[in-house]
Amino acid sequence: MWFAGPARRAPLAGRPQALRPGFSLEPGMRVGLFGGSFNPAHEGHAHVAETARRRLGLDRVIWLVSPQNPLKSSHETASLAARMAGARRLAHGPAMRVSDLETKLGSAYTVDTIRWLKARYPGVRFVWIMGADSLASFHRWRGWTQIMREVPVAVVSRPWISLRSRFSPAARRFAGARVSSAQASTLLNRPPPGWVFLRGPLNFQSSTLLRERMRRTAS
């Protein structure tokens, strides 16, 4: 099994203030960072984002559409414009923002994006949001232990994989930092590492199933 090594400490793209991210954040805001390929975006993504927003009391959820997931094939990844458009169709409400920040930064790794955002917005309280399917493979991400120590993490239950994800290497490694779901609203007030597993009604859509359905339709 391959484990990601350490990631750089310095943010990319020079001085954090030199780049315009396309959204504005104010000191004191509680902001969720929801990253992914969104290839394509679907209702399951919207369910994860809205569940985290509501349970954590977030002012904003920023959908960070990645230029290319290093763990996935570029041949199966739609254009950034198509994935951004799909995410915008689902990111409903004034609290939701869709961003191509990682493309602007030239950032391939989540930990670098997080460090840039923390440097750019020092008064904002960030939390990383992921579905349970991402927690199951989180130990393969570059700098995954550093991510846990940079920001709190909220994991939202997903079909079929929620039980396995709770016994994943990342969940075991940071078992002592887990916050009960009853205390989810306090997560952003705690210093990292800290994470919470949010259970709720399950949405069964997935990008993999949608891509397979599109392939069958096209054939």
Side-chain angles (χ1 to χ4, degrees):
M1 182 182 297
W2 178 77
F3 288 82
R8 69 176 71 200
R9 286 193 171 276
L12 297 177
R15 294 181 297 108
Q17 288 78 10
L19 182 147
R20 296 183 182 277
F23 51 82
S24 61
L25 303 175
E26 301 297 330
M29 277 187 168
R30 299 161 62 89
V31 177
L33 303 174
F34 183 32
S37 300
F38 302 106
N39 184 44
H42 55 75
E43 290 291 345
H45 291 131
H47 167 73
V48 169
E50 179 58 25
T51 298
R53 186 202 63 79
R54 180 171 45 83
R55 297 284 296 277
L56 301 176
L58 302 178
D59 299 299
R60 296 280 189 278
V61 176
I62 300 174
W63 298 43
L64 294 166
V65 183
S66 65
Q68 173 59 49
N69 187 327
L71 299 177
K72 295 181 179 179
S73 169
S74 61
H75 299 296
E76 293 189 353
T77 303
S79 70
L80 178 66
R83 292 181 288 119
M84 289 280 291
R88 288 192 179 105
R89 283 193 292 271
L90 291 163
H92 302 305
M96 300 292 171
R97 299 285 188 276
V98 176
S99 173
D100 60 353
L101 175 64
E102 291 190 315
T103 297
K104 293 177 179 177
L105 288 175
S107 175
Y109 300 109
T110 294
V111 68
D112 293 323
T113 304
I114 289 172
R115 286 173 175 161
W116 186 91
L117 283 164
K118 288 178 65 177
R120 176 68 176 79
Y121 300 105
V124 173
R125 287 178 285 178
F126 291 106
V127 58
W128 185 258
I129 300 167
M130 66 171 75
D133 46 342
S134 293
L135 179 62
S137 60
F138 191 44
H139 58 285
R140 297 180 60 206
W141 294 25
R142 177 70 62 85
W144 66 278
T145 58
Q146 289 99 321
I147 293 172
M148 293 291 289
R149 293 185 172 94
E150 290 285 348
V151 291
V153 173
V155 181
V156 179
S157 59
R158 292 285 290 142
W160 304 299
I161 201 164
S162 289
L163 181 62
R164 181 159 65 90
S165 70
R166 281 154 48 202
F167 293 96
S168 66
R172 294 198 307 269
R173 173 76 173 269
F174 289 95
R178 183 175 173 183
V179 175
S180 72
S181 58
Q183 296 179 303
S185 62
T186 72
L187 181 66
L188 277 74
N189 301 328
R190 301 166 181 261
W195 66 284
V196 66
F197 193 96
L198 302 175
R199 300 175 183 84
L202 297 177
N203 186 295
F204 284 83
Q205 283 202 25
S206 78
S207 294
T208 301
L209 291 177
L210 288 175
R211 288 196 301 274
E212 181 59 32
R213 187 180 305 162
M214 286 187 288
R215 279 194 292 267
R216 288 200 304 267
T217 302
S219 61

